[in-house]
Amino acid sequence: MSKQHGPLADRPVNPKVGLEISHESAPLHVTGAALYTDDLLGRYPGALHAWPLQSSVAHARITRLDVEPAYAVPGVVHVLTADDVPGVNDAGIKGDEPLFPGEIMYYGHAICWVLGETLEAARLGANAIEVDVEPLPSIMTLAEAIDAQSFQGHQRTVARGDVVSGLKDATYRFDGEFEFGGQEHFYLETNAALAHVDEAGQVFVQSSTQHPSETQEIVAHVLGLRSNEVTVQCLRMGGGFGGKEMQPHGLAAVAALGTTLTGRPVLLRLNRTQDITMTGKRHPFHATWEVGFDADHRICALRATLTSDGGWSLDLSEPVLARALCHIDNAYFVPHIEVHGRIAQTHKTSQTAFRGFGGPQGMIVLEDILGRCAPLLDVAPEELRRRNFYAPGQSTPYGQPVRHAERLADIWSILTERSELDRRRGEIEQHNQEHPHTKRALAMTPVKFGISFNLTAFNQAGALVHVYRDGSVLINHGGTEMGQGLHTKMIQVAATALGVPLDIVRLAPTRTDKVPNTSATAASSGADLNGGAIKDACEQIRTRLAVVAAGRMGIHPDDVRFADGLVTGIGFHDRQIPFAELVHDAYFQRVQLWAAGFYRTEGLHWSSERMQGEPFKYFAYGASVSEVEVDGFTGAYRLRRADIVQDVGDTLSPLVDLGQVEGGFVQGAGWLTLEELCWDCGDTPTRGRLSTQAASTYKIPSFSEMPEVFNVHLYELATESGVVYGSKAVGEPPLMQAFSVREALRAAVGAFGPTGHSVDLGSPATPEAVYWAIERARQATSSSRPANSRGALVAATPGS
């Protein structure tokens, strides 16, 4: 292999990856100069504003839609309905999401859109529209969906071994059920799209989207156009978390339809209430399970059924469920396993991608099982977890070898020492003896998270790199920036691959006419995929430049080295050519100074029907310890300390990765302890209405919920071969580190009750849920169940 194209993980001398630099847009963020989609409105004089007419019923057939009254409102220009669609009236990829519905499928469903000279005119116009409906029965809960057998999409099963014999031979058997809630994305910037038609007839859409290529495809098929007639650009997003992977497509299509019909630019920006009531959330799940342990407390068998709440349409529910099934094992080897998965159809928003993409929902099931069973087995929860870790040579239930499994035990050991676990246990025990009404506890949980899209075809990326005659560099790639620091890492990758200073590399916004057919910036794969493509493009250019340099220095091109903006050769340290000078010479020798790069993740194969294969490039490992203090009178709690060790391989950008670990952990803690989505499920006129539709009623973590002591350590000497510069994904894995917060709350609740009491804790574990769990613990008696008996662990309801 040419030295100009070395192994993907190898780093040259003095690389720019690994440096502690701030986010590339940090100065713009803190000064307010960073532009988002809505900020671009001033560049488009005469733009119209779009406002939806939302339904006030969960399920109904539209029998009459009279839009004429809207035109009597001053400033109303047009009302968009299904009759205006020249192409396909569908906003999704499954053919089940009509952009303008004839059947209302959830409370808040957009029936039509009003375009007005001002936002207020559009709003008043929407209020004037007359709609008659025929109410239809609605399904609002997972229990109702299961009873009605209301399912959608494919039902899948992950299985290995003989679960019947495994359970039969188990020394200890338990069964139970578990239901846990979803999560609102609550990104700072709500969904937005700004569309216009240029002088050549091209439809140009500025969109807050994680998946510009798919937004382009949906806009094109709604308008009846080819993809080359539509360009989508994403300047940046004010947060995404998966909520802008599928949801922006229909909104961009509405704006694009409006601009093609009126000839004027159209801005569609949802306000916070609209965004929460119209767009999808993290999938809630219900699980029933039966587990067996052997005499050494090792899991010998698990049988479970996972039911996700997909909402009214499929969206991404099938791949979310697939990832949940592939992650139910988390860090634990289960020799005999059979897990069934199905998707419920309810009359709610269409649930969608959210950081972790089903992985957290699968992993929490087994974490909950271990947390509930540990007291009944009379073993410390962290010891039960450690005893069941994957060992080298073992494989997942779907057949993928668990490479680097030894990192689990190593990270566990490092974290035990760094978190001062043993000393703090003694302090906690003393505190609990002295304080009958407040209890402290800590818990330790691991993470093993697979990195890559489950659908193998999505694991590809492209990039475009230009080197100009003055030596400056412009890069463009298919990934989108939502605050996670992807662009920062890509600048560092390009500077490292070309051997130039960071300040001569500039990055252009993501747009579909520069890099086509891109995958979503999701699955924690943004840096892996796009970094590989950028490195490939840069290496093409560097190889060409090496030939020019070799000619000047009289050496072989393989002996040319690029570093810090200087070009030299092995053994020629006294002869250096400035990079810009070499580029100038190359131009006059008619050497191509730009390149299109491409990367595809090698070694992946997956059968979605059999749920077998190797869908992941590698696993990201980690572990966390959290300590909480709980008030026995109110159920209120505080997170006293959190310690995390996260495996990010050889970090591309330490400050960016640190921010991702901290942010992911806090967002995970929000999902597990604070953020409760409440729909009206009663037999009332407002059945189906989301009650928690603003920051006043939906609580996301704030400064007061941050750990009082927060320590994050990036696992060292962790080069990942076959990945750009030896790094690992960091976007999603840290979210699951928050499992330790919920398990610490379980342990603190248990301290209010007798030894051996198994604590059933709701999720989210809000102060109310914690209070009722404390009440149950106080009323419990010491476990008298024989060690080898079968026990039922049925979820309790709050207040019971």
Side-chain angles (χ1 to χ4, degrees):
M1 179 180 288
S2 168
K3 290 182 175 60
Q4 298 302 328
H5 289 80
L8 194 59
D10 285 2
R11 296 190 176 192
V13 175
N14 202 16
K16 297 302 180 283
V17 293
L19 297 181
E20 292 189 350
I21 65 172
S22 61
H23 192 287
E24 50 89 24
S25 291
L28 302 179
H29 290 156
V30 298
T31 59
L35 296 178
Y36 297 86
T37 299
D38 185 53
D39 298 320
L40 303 175
L41 179 62
R43 301 181 181 181
Y44 298 91
L48 300 175
H49 298 261
W51 187 276
L53 171 62
Q54 292 183 261
S55 69
S56 56
V57 63
H59 190 202
R61 185 175 295 107
I62 298 173
T63 57
R64 185 178 72 94
L65 176 63
D66 185 2
V67 301
E68 286 304 316
Y71 288 101
V73 176
V76 169
V77 175
H78 195 86
V79 180
L80 298 174
T81 68
D83 293 336
D84 292 313
V85 177
V88 181
N89 180 29
D90 195 89
I93 58 174
K94 296 286 187 179
D96 63 346
E97 295 183 51
L99 188 61
F100 300 97
E103 182 179 338
I104 294 166
M105 294 299 288
Y106 67 97
Y107 197 110
H109 202 165
I111 298 170
C112 59
W113 292 79
V114 179
L115 306 180
E117 299 283 357
T118 65
L119 194 61
E120 179 66 3
R123 184 186 70 83
L124 293 174
N127 288 346
I129 294 172
E130 298 175 3
V131 184
D132 292 338
V133 301
E134 175 191 342
L136 298 171
S138 60
I139 294 174
M140 293 307 304
T141 68
L142 276 166
E144 291 173 356
I146 293 170
D147 287 345
Q149 293 292 289
S150 176
F151 301 114
Q152 57 184 329
H154 297 292
Q155 299 190 18
R156 302 298 190 196
T157 298
V158 169
R160 171 176 61 191
D162 185 345
V163 74
V164 174
S165 296
L167 288 170
K168 181 180 178 182
D169 296 340
T171 307
Y172 312 97
R173 287 177 67 177
F174 306 98
D175 60 75
E177 60 181 288
F178 180 33
E179 186 169 342
F180 47 96
Q183 187 178 19
E184 164 61 33
H185 300 88
F186 221 101
Y187 23 64
L188 288 177
E189 176 209 25
T190 57
N191 273 283
L194 176 59
H196 78 282
V197 180
D198 68 14
E199 69 283 356
Q202 173 194 228
V203 177
F204 187 83
V205 184
Q206 302 271 6
S207 177
S208 180
T209 176
Q210 292 177 233
H211 200 345
S213 288
E214 198 164 78
T215 301
Q216 174 193 32
E217 292 172 9
I218 297 299
V219 169
H221 89 219
V222 168
L223 297 182
L225 301 175
R226 294 183 294 270
S227 289
N228 67 354
E229 298 173 277
V230 176
T231 296
V232 174
Q233 174 170 291
C234 178
L235 196 59
R236 60 169 57 84
M237 287 169 280
F241 311 119
K244 295 176 181 175
E245 183 173 347
M246 284 286 292
Q247 308 292 295
H249 304 339
L251 303 175
V254 168
L257 178 61
T259 194
T260 58
L261 289 173
T262 65
R264 296 170 62 178
V266 172
L267 172 68
L268 188 162
R269 182 186 64 81
L270 301 182
N271 64 31
R272 180 63 63 185
T273 300
Q274 290 168 339
D275 200 288
I276 292 180
T277 57
M278 291 174 64
T279 65
K281 329 291 179 197
R282 184 188 295 280
H283 290 70
F285 270 64
H286 175 273
T288 57
W289 53 265
E290 186 175 3
V291 69
F293 296 88
D294 65 18
D296 294 323
H297 302 146
R298 288 187 172 86
I299 303 170
C300 49
L302 172 66
R303 179 163 53 201
T305 297
L306 306 185
T307 306
S308 74
D309 184 344
W312 74 278
S313 67
L314 271 175
D315 195 272
L316 290 167
S317 293
E318 289 177 318
V320 166
L321 178 64
R323 186 168 278 263
L325 294 173
C326 288
H327 281 79
I328 193 168
D329 59 326
N330 190 12
Y332 313 111
F333 178 67
V334 185
H336 303 287
I337 186 169
E338 182 182 295
V339 184
H340 305 281
R342 56 191 182 180
I343 304 161
Q345 183 175 36
T346 59
H347 294 102
K348 296 178 182 175
T349 53
S350 184
Q351 315 316 356
T352 191
F354 199 128
R355 198 176 194 169
F357 202 81
Q361 291 99 311
M363 293 159 70
I364 194 177
V365 172
L366 191 46
E367 290 299 337
D368 187 71
I369 290 171
L370 295 177
R372 292 164 74 174
C373 292
L376 304 175
L377 294 168
D378 194 24
V379 60
E382 65 274 10
E383 173 58 22
L384 181 61
R385 291 183 165 91
R386 185 200 63 78
R387 199 169 293 185
N388 283 283
F389 281 170
Y390 274 106
Q394 293 176 333
S395 298
T396 65
Y398 47 90
Q400 176 152 0
V402 181
R403 196 160 55 91
H404 294 154
E406 68 280 356
R407 291 188 182 184
L408 281 166
D410 192 33
I411 288 172
W412 201 255
S413 176
I414 292 170
L415 182 60
T416 298
E417 181 178 345
R418 295 183 70 92
S419 65
E420 307 169 288
L421 201 64
D422 295 333
R423 176 187 63 78
R424 290 164 62 197
R425 284 198 187 286
E427 294 176 355
I428 287 171
E429 185 176 348
Q430 181 177 350
H431 173 275
N432 289 349
Q433 289 175 353
E434 297 172 355
H435 297 80
H437 303 302
T438 61
K439 300 295 181 184
R440 293 177 181 173
L442 53 76
M444 190 173 183
T445 57
V447 168
K448 174 186 69 67
F449 189 80
I451 302 298
S452 290
F453 289 96
N454 271 67
L455 182 62
T456 302
F458 288 167
N459 294 287
Q460 60 174 297
L464 191 61
V465 176
H466 294 170
V467 176
Y468 294 97
R469 286 172 56 183
D470 63 355
S472 62
V473 179
L474 178 70
I475 63 174
N476 190 281
H477 63 90
T480 55
E481 176 64 45
M482 60 198 89
Q484 84 279 34
L486 175 62
H487 285 351
T488 307
K489 288 184 174 182
M490 296 304 95
I491 290 171
Q492 290 180 268
V493 167
T496 299
L498 289 172
V500 298
L502 289 165
D503 59 5
I504 72 167
V505 181
R506 189 174 77 82
L507 189 142
T510 307
R511 53 188 284 167
T512 57
D513 61 354
K514 297 296 185 290
V515 179
N517 309 319
T518 57
S519 297
T521 305
S524 300
S525 62
D528 291 359
L529 297 178
N530 296 287
I534 284 176
K535 187 171 185 285
D536 175 53
C538 291
E539 286 177 341
Q540 293 177 45
I541 297 169
R542 195 183 68 206
T543 298
R544 298 173 197 143
L545 291 175
V547 174
V548 178
R552 283 188 55 172
M553 290 187 283
I555 60 176
H556 192 279
D558 284 355
D559 292 334
V560 175
R561 295 293 180 266
F562 295 75
D564 298 323
L566 298 173
V567 184
T568 186
I570 297 176
F572 289 86
H573 300 295
D574 57 333
R575 295 177 60 184
Q576 297 178 333
I577 306 172
F579 182 79
E581 182 181 319
L582 180 64
V583 168
H584 180 271
D585 288 355
Y587 170 78
F588 281 97
Q589 293 181 32
R590 296 184 296 178
V591 173
Q592 183 179 334
L593 294 173
W594 58 270
F598 182 75
Y599 174 78
R600 52 176 283 173
T601 309
E602 298 294 343
L604 306 181
H605 58 93
W606 177 247
S607 169
S608 59
E609 291 78 21
R610 297 188 303 111
M611 294 293 287
Q612 289 290 310
E614 297 186 22
F616 305 122
K617 177 67 174 176
Y618 57 84
F619 294 103
Y621 300 106
S624 65
V625 172
S626 293
E627 180 182 338
V628 299
E629 181 178 294
V630 173
D631 185 323
F633 292 115
T634 64
Y637 45 80
R638 58 192 181 103
L639 180 54
R640 289 172 44 82
R641 177 172 170 175
D643 294 83
I644 297 173
V645 175
Q646 186 69 47
D647 174 15
V648 298
D650 287 342
T651 174
L652 292 177
S653 194
L655 290 182
V656 168
D657 285 350
L658 180 64
Q660 285 293 290
V661 174
E662 293 174 343
F665 174 84
V666 172
Q667 190 170 52
W671 169 50
L672 296 168
T673 67
L674 291 172
E675 302 180 42
E676 187 170 22
L677 291 162
C678 298
W679 274 272
D680 185 344
C681 298
D683 187 14
T684 67
T686 57
R687 177 176 169 84
R689 179 181 180 272
L690 180 62
S691 303
T692 49
Q693 56 181 259
S696 58
T697 51
Y698 185 81
K699 179 150 181 64
I700 61 173
S702 61
F703 285 118
S704 59
E705 281 77 41
M706 290 286 288
E708 297 169 17
V709 178
F710 200 176
N711 301 313
V712 176
H713 174 68
L714 302 182
Y715 185 56
E716 297 169 334
L717 304 176
T719 302
E720 185 63 34
S721 61
V723 184
V724 62
Y725 292 127
S727 65
K728 271 189 172 182
V730 72
E732 292 170 305
L735 185 134
M736 283 71 80
Q737 298 280 25
F739 290 150
S740 63
V741 178
R742 184 170 181 271
E743 292 304 307
L745 288 172
R746 187 197 307 276
V749 169
F752 286 96
T755 302
H757 171 62
S758 177
V759 174
D760 169 40
L761 186 61
S763 188
T766 60
E768 180 184 10
V770 170
Y771 171 80
W772 290 117
I774 291 171
E775 288 298 292
R776 291 191 294 272
R778 283 171 168 158
Q779 296 167 13
T781 57
S782 296
S783 175
S784 57
R785 179 181 301 147
N788 62 350
S789 73
R790 171 172 173 161
L793 294 173
V794 180
T797 27
S800 62

